[in-house]
Amino acid sequence: MKLNSLHIFLSGIVIICFSCAAERKSAKYYQDNKADLVTLKTYYDSLYRKQPFSAGFTDKSCRYYVMQINTDTLRSVYTTDTKKEELWKNVLRYQYDTVLLNKMAGKMKHLKCLWLGKTTDWLGEQKETYTFISFGSALVDKPFVEDKYYILIFLDHKIIHPEVETNIKKGKLVPVDDLVYFTIGSSYR
């Protein structure tokens, strides 16, 4: 009986440690890289105003960039490993600031950012758009387990809604700053 109680106690400690580890890692990552993350978001927001897009890497070594350009009717994906010339033509076509785009790409590589984009969710009848940055796999080298990714969510304003409050209480959204939250997702995009 004592051995069983000890086993349950130790299992509980392990579960608590593992459930807190991701939260601490993302909060630490955010605090350690706050200035660079804010700069990256500023670059992205400026470029996004020209033509909506998202960007990231196609490989874990952060060697090949990918850019998904969104128009009213089409979502086009261009990578530097297979469609480099097409990517360049579209960068010029939509008149992106190439110096700023290069700075953003360098900052993403420096931060090991897998993906940077904007998404829209509906909270009741209110449409909310926010920026997200995914920056790493939460589960590494676990066989038969789907990878999960650390994601920072940047809000433009405070959102007060019961669904958001519920997600915070359940630990699905973890505040790391006034308008920045952390979550773990099954996809980095």
Side-chain angles (χ1 to χ4, degrees):
M1 186 68 136
K2 284 184 179 182
L3 186 59
N4 196 17
S5 297
L6 179 63
H7 179 62
I8 292 170
F9 174 73
L10 290 175
S11 297
I13 295 293
V14 168
I15 289 168
I16 290 169
C17 289
F18 279 115
S19 67
C20 295
E23 181 179 329
R24 279 188 252 128
K25 181 178 179 178
S26 69
K28 181 174 176 14
Y29 176 86
Y30 177 76
Q31 294 306 324
D32 290 349
N33 297 289
K34 185 176 181 177
D36 286 332
L37 287 163
V38 169
T39 300
L40 175 60
K41 185 180 179 305
T42 302
Y43 292 163
Y44 176 69
D45 287 342
S46 178
L47 292 161
Y48 187 89
R49 283 190 283 278
K50 273 287 187 191
Q51 179 66 40
F53 75 99
S54 52
F57 294 98
T58 61
D59 61 321
K60 289 184 179 184
S61 65
C62 300
R63 185 172 169 192
Y64 299 109
Y65 295 101
V66 61
M67 189 170 183
Q68 178 179 299
I69 300 173
N70 305 318
T71 65
D72 293 340
T73 57
L74 190 61
R75 186 179 298 175
S76 304
V77 179
Y78 306 98
T79 64
T80 57
D81 63 338
T82 59
K83 296 182 179 180
K84 192 172 190 172
E85 288 179 29
E86 264 187 85
L87 173 59
W88 181 245
K89 286 178 189 174
N90 280 286
V91 164
L92 296 176
R93 175 180 173 201
Y94 292 111
Q95 300 177 353
Y96 289 113
D97 179 339
T98 55
V99 172
L100 193 56
L101 195 59
N102 194 36
K103 285 181 181 181
M104 184 191 84
K107 192 67 72 179
M108 288 175 70
K109 191 170 189 171
H110 167 74
L111 291 166
K112 295 183 176 93
C113 168
L114 296 175
W115 197 256
L116 169 65
K118 288 190 184 283
T119 192
T120 301
D121 284 332
W122 288 90
L123 297 173
E125 294 183 20
Q126 183 67 33
K127 182 179 175 181
E128 295 291 347
T129 300
Y130 53 87
T131 304
F132 67 93
I133 297 174
S134 60
F135 63 91
S137 178
L139 297 175
V140 179
D141 299 328
K142 303 268 187 199
F144 311 113
V145 177
E146 181 182 9
D147 279 346
K148 301 290 184 184
Y149 298 91
Y150 295 114
I151 301 170
L152 289 171
I153 299 169
F154 293 80
L155 304 177
D156 292 325
H157 60 88
K158 188 79 172 162
I159 298 174
I160 306 208
H161 189 275
E163 190 175 330
V164 173
E165 298 302 319
T166 300
N167 284 333
I168 290 171
K169 285 179 186 172
K170 288 182 177 179
K172 291 180 180 179
L173 277 178
V174 179
V176 293
D177 208 348
D178 288 339
L179 297 174
V180 181
Y181 293 85
F182 157 76
T183 191
I184 294 179
S186 59
S187 174
Y188 64 93
R189 290 177 147 183

